[in-house]
Amino acid sequence: MRAFLAIFRKELRRYLTDPRMLIALFLPGILILIIYPLMGTALQSLDISGSPEGETFSIAYMEDFSEDSEEPVLLTLFESALKEQGKGNSASYFPIPREDREEAMGKVAEGEYDLFLDYSPSFEDVLFDRSAVPSLALYYDGASEKATYAHALMLELVPLAYDGYLLNQDADGPIDGNLGKGDYQGNQILSFLFPLVTISLLMSSVCSLTPEAIAGEKERGTLAALLITPVPRGTIVWGKMAAAGTVSLVSGATSFLGTFLSLPFLMGGMSLSAELALPVLLIIFPALFLFLGLGFLLSTLARSVKEANSWIGPFLSLGILASVFGAFLDLSSLPFAFVPILNVATCMALVIRSEVFPWAYLAITVVVDLFATALLVFLTDRLFRSEKALFRR
Amino acid sequence: MEKILLRSEAITKRFPLPRKERKPGRTSLLAVDHVSLSIRKGEIYALLGPNGAGKTTSLRMIGSLIAPDEGSIFYENRNINEDLKGYRSKIGFLTAELKQDGFFTPDYLFDFMSELHGIPREVAKERKEMLFQEFGILPFRDKKIDALSSGMKQKASLALALVNDPELIIFDEPTNGLDILGAKAVEDFLRSLRDKGRTILLSTHIFSLVEKLCDRVGILLEGRLAVEGSLEEVRGGGTLEESFFSLLGERRDA
């Protein structure tokens, strides 16, 4: 135990006092925390940044849209939306008599009007009485940037102005209230993005640690100094793995936290729910040990850090590929849970997007990954007794 | 007659040849061929031989870094494989192949190696101060190994090889990389170890060092132990160098 702790402490000290190693381990999580909100802000500002500035939109509308009101609700909302943008845009409104409808459409084509709201007679009265379903057509010049923008903005406002009256027949509340706990569309996106990001981060952590841990020591000739001590070789392997595992866990947790905290900023409020965070962590930890075990095995087989990197690198790509497969292909049948690496991404995706929690898939994944890790450690331990592997040149 | 501390019985080691160098009927290199040697307690035993004679491979087997393909090694009449852990706690091994982690200081590494050998902390502390004083390591005890000169590194390696106060010390070319002062310090140190009753097995190709220090000599040629005996016996009335080249000539003529 004393020797195990000595090796564990030495390895830990090596990782935690090497600035390059620290950067490689913890920078991804910190970067995610910075980059995702920035990306989210940029994505959210895309719609606004596409809007013109200091323009006056010419909006025509059928004047018989209502017998009582002076201006359609839709135009009031349009005016407010322009003010909210704060880009100096304004609008002029032109009531059109029904007999001039064709002429107004001609003016749209010529560019005199940016948009023409073609209401059916008494549109708002009929709509608000709920006596019938009236019609509204929006005409614009698709070749004009200004008209296209006015059209897009108006389309966004139509549901706000009128949908409530069309759909909410019996209640006064909003019609789009989400009564469930999840968000189907958001979870679909998360189920692709989250495994991809998580597996990439875990793999990069393994890539930073494992080549150096054994192949690096072999290359520098420092491993032999350990091998001639009375310490059993299995203890050396376990001590090194425990230290790498601890550092990877902290690094993985930092990355996970970074991803977890920054997702709402990236995806406009959508995030992994706290209820799903625990099952996801339950998948991540065995996966981390699995990747570490694989890294250690390859590092033991390799003659140098360079060779270890060249072997571990393809597994990083494989992990990323698995996360893509897990997200896009239907791998939800249980036999796929028995395939290590592939099961990590698939299980994460299923946990996030499934309506019924995949308990069986999760349990198999965790057990299979832990078993695979034990097998990899056993093989590494065997290799540590092999002169061919340890002193290969 | 002094007690035999360590003996090897027909130890043999083959290394597989790289694929490109393999020929029909020749797939491995016989590095050490049935070498049987014996080292007595309290003596300095020198293993002499030209490059590629099998000195380092023999020492690696005796140091338990690698295992013989054939033959056995006995320490105090007990096969070392019966208690490898116990054997390793009684020997110190210094070879160019064993390097110290450049990221750490001699001070930290000494403590680390003491932990691996299970030495009580107080004993380790005392031993560290004594060895660091003896080898002049105190001024650079807190500097990273990477920042040390090759002479300083060799001194640190020597101290680390003695962390467990070994009964048998195996040195592979201990003066390699040292300047004339460093080499003299090692020479004095080997003598002081012998005076303290330690047994030393060293490989070298420096005849003068062997003539000055060693009690017994074994000469390895092409993986075989060509001769073994006391310094006087091996000299055969001439110098060690003459005797060595005479044996080498005979082997080549044969």
Side-chain angles (χ1 to χ4, degrees), chain A residues 210-220 299-300 302-305 308:
Chain A
T210 54
E212 184 60 32
I214 298 177
E217 288 229 45
K218 271 159 74 171
E219 195 177 357
R220 293 191 303 274
S299 185
T300 309
R303 278 173 291 200
S304 61
V305 173

Side-chain angles (χ1 to χ4, degrees), chain A residues 2-3 6-7 9-10 13-14 17-18 220-222 224-231 233 387 391 393, chain B residues 13 60 63 65-67 85 88-89 93 97-101 103-104 108 112-113 115-119:
Chain A
R2 198 177 156 192
I7 293 168
R9 279 197 302 267
K10 178 182 173 246
R13 187 183 171 111
R14 175 140 178 64
T17 53
D18 183 349
R220 293 191 303 274
T222 51
L226 288 179
L227 298 178
I228 55 153
T229 63
V231 179
R233 294 186 175 180
E387 287 169 17
F391 301 110
R393 295 200 188 274
Chain B
K13 190 72 185 178
R60 287 171 79 194
L65 196 56
I66 57 174
K85 191 179 168 186
R88 284 178 175 151
S89 68
F93 191 18
E97 194 183 9
L98 300 185
K99 297 208 172 68
Q100 302 307 330
D101 200 330
F103 193 79
F104 297 99
Y108 180 86
F112 171 65
M113 295 304 275
E115 295 275 318
L116 296 191
H117 279 278
I119 298 162

Side-chain angles (χ1 to χ4, degrees), chain B residues 2 38 40 43-48 191 194 202 204 206-219 227-244 247:
Chain B
E2 295 98 338
S38 55
R40 293 167 190 172
E43 73 176 5
I44 300 183
Y45 184 106
L47 207 50
L48 272 171
R191 200 173 278 124
R194 183 181 52 188
L202 65 90
T204 183
I206 303 171
F207 294 106
S208 60
L209 184 73
V210 178
E211 298 246 27
K212 272 191 273 184
L213 281 179
C214 299
D215 304 297
R216 296 198 326 122
V217 180
I219 296 180
V227 67
E228 184 188 50
S230 69
L231 191 57
E232 294 305 318
E233 286 166 350
V234 175
R235 272 181 186 155
T239 65
L240 186 61
E241 193 171 348
E242 284 166 356
S243 176
F244 176 81
L247 273 171

Side-chain angles (χ1 to χ4, degrees), chain A residues 73-123:
Chain A
V73 173
L74 194 52
L75 292 188
T76 312
L77 289 176
F78 188 78
E79 190 73 27
S80 304
L82 290 182
K83 277 182 187 165
E84 266 183 37
Q85 286 175 6
K87 293 204 166 187
N89 293 318
S90 58
S92 301
Y93 306 106
F94 302 94
I96 306 293
R98 186 147 297 277
E99 57 271 23
D100 295 341
R101 181 173 174 272
E102 295 299 321
E103 189 187 336
M105 289 171 78
K107 285 183 178 176
V108 169
E110 289 163 10
E112 191 172 329
Y113 296 146
D114 294 308
L115 191 63
F116 172 38
L117 309 181
D118 184 15
Y119 288 105
S120 57
S122 302
F123 174 92

Side-chain angles (χ1 to χ4, degrees), chain A residues 101-178:
Chain A
R101 181 173 174 272
E102 295 299 321
E103 189 187 336
M105 289 171 78
K107 285 183 178 176
V108 169
E110 289 163 10
E112 191 172 329
Y113 296 146
D114 294 308
L115 191 63
F116 172 38
L117 309 181
D118 184 15
Y119 288 105
S120 57
S122 302
F123 174 92
E124 287 194 352
D125 305 329
V126 172
L127 184 70
F128 298 161
D129 287 348
R130 294 167 180 165
S131 52
V133 179
S135 70
L136 167 63
L138 272 64
Y139 296 108
Y140 72 108
D141 176 10
S144 157
E145 184 188 353
K146 189 178 152 201
T148 302
Y149 178 74
H151 173 251
L153 183 58
M154 198 66 85
L155 269 185
E156 278 182 29
L157 299 172
V158 166
L160 287 174
Y162 302 128
D163 261 15
Y165 293 97
L166 290 168
L167 301 171
N168 191 22
Q169 299 285 334
D170 301 318
D172 295 330
I175 57 159
D176 60 346
N178 179 3

